[in-house]
Amino acid sequence: MICSRLRTFSRLVPLTQSFYTYKASRSFSTPPSSSSSPPPPPHQWLVIAKDGTDADALKRRMAARPVHMARAKAATEAGSIVIGGAVLDEKDLHMVSSMLVIDGFATKEEVRQFLKEDPYTTMGVWQDIQILPFRFAVLRGQK
C-alpha cells in the first residue's frame, strides 16, 4: 500500500521501506514487534479485464467509456488506481481489454467489489476479469 496516495510512477516510494500492515479502514497499523513474524510485504493488484468478443463489444465499450473514465479519474486521484489503460488488438488497434494496477485494497474480494461497480462491468463490456497480486520491481525514475 506504499503508493496508494501517489498519482504517477515517477513519484512512487521505493518498496524497500519498512512495511506496514494494511487494515480494511485504509489506515496503517504500526509494524509488529520484533518478537512476532513480519507482515507480508505490501502489494498491489494487477487486473486484466477482457472485453466480450461479440460484434457489439466495441460499441458497448464506447458507450460506457465516458462514465468509466470519470470513475477511473476519481479512483486515480484517490490513489486506488496506479495505472490503467486499454489493451489494443494488434491488427486494427481497437480496444479489446483493459489493464489496471490497483492499490489500497487488502483482499482480492475488495478488488472484485471495486471492479463490480465499474461501468465497464455493469454495462457488459468486461466479460472475463483476472485479478493477480502484483509488486512493482522496476519503475521509470527509480534509482
Side-chain angles (χ1 to χ4, degrees):
M1 305 330 123
I2 290 173
C3 61
S4 64
R5 300 294 176 245
L6 301 176
R7 294 185 186 152
T8 63
F9 278 119
S10 62
R11 294 181 5 198
L12 289 174
V13 176
L15 293 176
T16 57
Q17 292 187 354
S18 61
F19 300 126
Y20 294 87
T21 305
Y22 177 78
K23 292 184 177 179
S25 65
R26 292 195 179 195
S27 62
F28 294 89
S29 65
T30 56
S33 66
S34 59
S35 62
S36 65
S37 61
H43 64 275
Q44 293 74 37
W45 299 93
L46 173 65
V47 176
I48 301 168
K50 296 179 181 177
D51 296 9
T53 56
D54 57 285
D56 293 328
L58 186 57
K59 287 180 188 176
R60 280 194 309 277
R61 178 181 267 270
M62 298 314 292
R65 194 166 195 276
V67 181
H68 165 78
M69 292 304 295
R71 183 176 189 263
K73 181 179 181 194
T76 302
E77 289 172 357
S80 296
I81 296 177
V82 178
I83 188 170
V87 177
L88 307 177
D89 175 270
E90 290 185 53
K91 180 182 174 189
D92 52 22
L93 301 179
H94 287 153
M95 296 177 276
V96 294
S97 45
S98 301
M99 182 287 306
L100 303 160
V101 174
I102 296 183
D103 196 14
F105 296 95
T107 67
K108 188 182 230 180
E109 188 54 42
E110 289 178 11
V111 176
R112 189 173 283 116
Q113 184 61 39
F114 173 76
L115 296 171
K116 185 179 179 180
E117 298 166 3
D118 191 283
Y120 275 3
T121 302
T122 62
M123 296 175 77
V125 176
W126 290 336
Q127 301 291 311
D128 179 33
I129 300 175
Q130 188 175 14
I131 303 168
L132 303 164
F134 179 82
R135 185 175 304 127
F136 289 105
V138 178
L139 299 171
R140 184 179 359 186
Q142 293 292 306
K143 294 182 182 192

